[in-house]
Amino acid sequence: MMADILFLAHRIPYPPDRGDKIRSWHMLRHLGALGRVHLACFADDAQDAAALPALRAAMGGRLGEAHVEVRRPRPAAAALALAQGKPLSLALFGSATMRGFVARLLESHDVATIFAFSSQMAQFVPAAERRFVMDFVDMDSAKFADYGARHRGPLAWLYRREARTLLDFERATAARADVSLLVSEAEAALFSARAGAGSRDIRAIGNGVDLDFYDPAGPFPILPARLRGEAPLIVFTGQMDYRPNVEAVRAFATEVMPLVRREVGEARFAIVGRKPAAAARRLDGHNGTFVTGAVDDVRSWLAAADVVVAPLGIARGIQNKILEAMAMARPVVASPAAFVGIDAEPGRDLLVADGAPAQASAVLELLRDRGHADALGAAARRRIEQGYRWERMLAPLGAIVGAPAKAAA
């Protein structure tokens, strides 16, 4: 066992029901097997914060002290960011209370390593003689730069400002971190190119899949017949208050579904995910589209899907939605942006299509040829089994945080 670890996260890592929480939860649990881990994190709201007892129970006694607080409202954070010249991403998670908890914990415990998850949490890492591992996950400044290029007017200015100020912070953070982690080799290469020579050790640790949970033969509820229906079902899964997801389903419902339904008139498109934004809800009832909101078990919807789509225009890092659909042996049609970072072979493990006509053609190909769709799904499952187990992905983490060789193994 090693000395204590302090794990900082911008969102409480439990339950692992969205992309960032899936990664942070598996990392937290893996680190808990190496030594005692203390947790300091934010929550989106009181309901989110109430997950702490369940997280502690799931850690099985391997969690030390823990602090969770609800982050400040976005309007207040925006005003503070503009007044202080900071990125909104930092102002949103700024907190004297969090800073005080970290200081007291470091004074009272033998913490050898601070592990920060998501760049916002680097602001709470003091300049001290402790190992500092920064998991940026994605290069957030690049995401905001993409937003700025896709918008016009004041909103574009705000996105460009966020990209510029956040990149400065990312560079400064990477310069003082012992190791900086990104979720894919592609993201790590982009970070290295943009962060500059001041960065120290930049590495990629990818996301995995819980193959016991995402198992097409597993014990999950079958979707009721009234929802399953007999008409072809196309499914998108994701957190539906996340802008890239909203933009993706809006484009698919308004541009791709009319082309699909021209050939397969009864085809349906299910938008499956929590907290659908108003722009997503407005799609309900148009071009065979329906919006489910939160569901009891996403596996039920994946298993019922004839095709799973990931038509994102902006995507950073690894799309868990693709890995999970592939693990469930479903045929996937992904955009080039969503496919970046996925270690799979287009045409064998999934289909990659750019733009509405190409995506409609790929979906129709799978709807018309069930044999091809089934073969694609089977190949997808095999690929995930071969390369995406969490144990394999996180194997280097022990050495990265400085665990003794025996514990790291």
Side-chain angles (χ1 to χ4, degrees):
M1 300 291 283
M2 65 178 292
D4 291 5
I5 300 168
L6 172 58
F7 192 97
L8 304 172
H10 73 307
R11 184 174 283 114
I12 184 169
Y14 203 84
D17 56 1
R18 55 178 291 164
D20 57 337
K21 288 189 175 189
I22 292 169
R23 181 177 174 90
S24 61
W25 164 245
H26 282 281
M27 286 189 156
L28 178 66
R29 187 171 65 170
H30 188 89
L31 293 175
L34 304 176
R36 183 169 60 167
V37 181
H38 307 284
L39 173 66
C41 62
F42 288 93
D44 291 342
D45 50 37
Q47 181 180 357
D48 201 28
L52 179 58
L55 183 154
R56 186 175 289 280
M59 285 290 288
R62 294 171 291 172
L63 186 66
E65 292 196 41
H67 170 76
V68 183
E69 64 178 270
V70 177
R71 62 173 170 79
R72 63 165 51 109
R74 189 171 291 273
L80 186 64
L82 291 172
Q84 297 182 348
K86 292 182 177 180
L88 172 60
S89 304
L90 294 191
L92 191 61
F93 293 91
S95 167
T97 303
M98 178 69 71
R99 204 173 298 278
F101 173 82
V102 170
R104 289 191 299 273
L105 184 97
L106 295 179
E107 288 177 2
S108 58
H109 292 275
D110 180 22
V111 173
T113 301
I114 300 177
F115 189 103
F117 184 90
S118 195
S119 60
Q120 300 95 323
M121 301 308 293
Q123 63 186 307
F124 302 108
V125 179
E129 294 301 318
R130 292 182 177 85
R131 188 165 182 79
F132 171 28
V133 178
M134 179 70 244
D135 186 5
F136 287 99
V137 189
D138 307 325
M139 191 170 187
D140 284 340
S141 61
K143 175 181 68 179
F144 287 110
D146 288 344
Y147 287 166
R150 292 167 67 96
H151 289 81
R152 297 289 182 270
L155 195 57
W157 179 84
L158 286 171
Y159 284 139
R160 289 195 296 269
R161 176 191 180 277
E162 185 71 6
R164 183 180 65 256
T165 56
L166 190 55
L167 177 59
D168 290 341
F169 183 74
E170 290 169 339
R171 284 172 172 157
T173 300
R176 68 189 186 97
D178 292 282
V179 180
S180 294
L181 302 177
L182 283 301
V183 74
S184 69
E185 294 291 350
E187 204 76 1
L190 176 67
F191 191 94
S192 296
R194 295 193 182 179
S199 302
R200 295 164 82 173
D201 187 352
I202 298 174
R203 310 186 198 180
I205 287 188
N207 282 354
V209 182
D210 184 341
L211 285 163
D212 293 329
F213 184 80
Y214 288 99
D215 182 350
F220 55 85
I222 300 301
L223 207 63
R226 63 182 177 80
L227 295 174
R228 234 176 25 250
E230 296 182 1
L233 180 62
I234 304 160
V235 169
F236 176 96
T237 64
Q239 181 77 15
M240 290 316 304
D241 59 354
Y242 181 51
R243 182 182 295 272
N245 286 345
V246 175
E247 292 180 354
V249 298
R250 182 168 55 196
F252 193 87
T254 59
E255 299 173 20
V256 181
M257 281 303 292
L259 301 178
V260 171
R261 284 166 66 87
R262 187 183 301 167
E263 304 294 329
V264 182
E266 69 276 19
R268 299 168 298 152
F269 176 42
I271 299 171
V272 180
R274 298 185 311 161
K275 299 182 179 180
R281 293 196 304 271
R282 285 195 292 269
L283 299 171
D284 195 85
H286 295 279
N287 300 321
T289 301
F290 62 102
V291 181
T292 70
V295 298
D296 292 334
D297 196 326
V298 72
R299 295 173 299 176
S300 305
W301 288 89
L302 290 173
D306 293 290
V307 180
V308 176
V309 294
L312 285 87
I314 294 176
R316 299 248 57 88
I318 298 291
Q319 295 300 310
N320 290 303
K321 58 174 63 69
I322 294 179
L323 300 182
E324 292 163 0
M326 290 175 68
M328 289 292 290
R330 305 320 302 143
V332 173
V333 175
S335 66
F339 176 65
V340 171
I342 302 287
D343 185 11
E345 184 178 321
R348 183 195 67 188
D349 304 321
L350 78 172
L351 300 183
V352 178
D354 190 14
Q359 289 170 9
S361 177
V363 168
L364 286 167
E365 174 186 337
L366 296 172
L367 294 182
R368 289 169 176 153
D369 188 343
R370 293 309 310 165
H372 181 199
D374 291 344
L376 200 70
R381 172 70 188 188
R382 286 193 299 272
R383 183 68 201 99
I384 298 299
E385 289 175 338
Q386 291 165 359
Y388 280 95
R389 294 184 183 275
W390 273 111
E391 297 83 355
R392 176 180 181 273
M393 290 297 186
L394 298 183
L397 199 55
I400 288 172
V401 298
K406 187 174 181 181

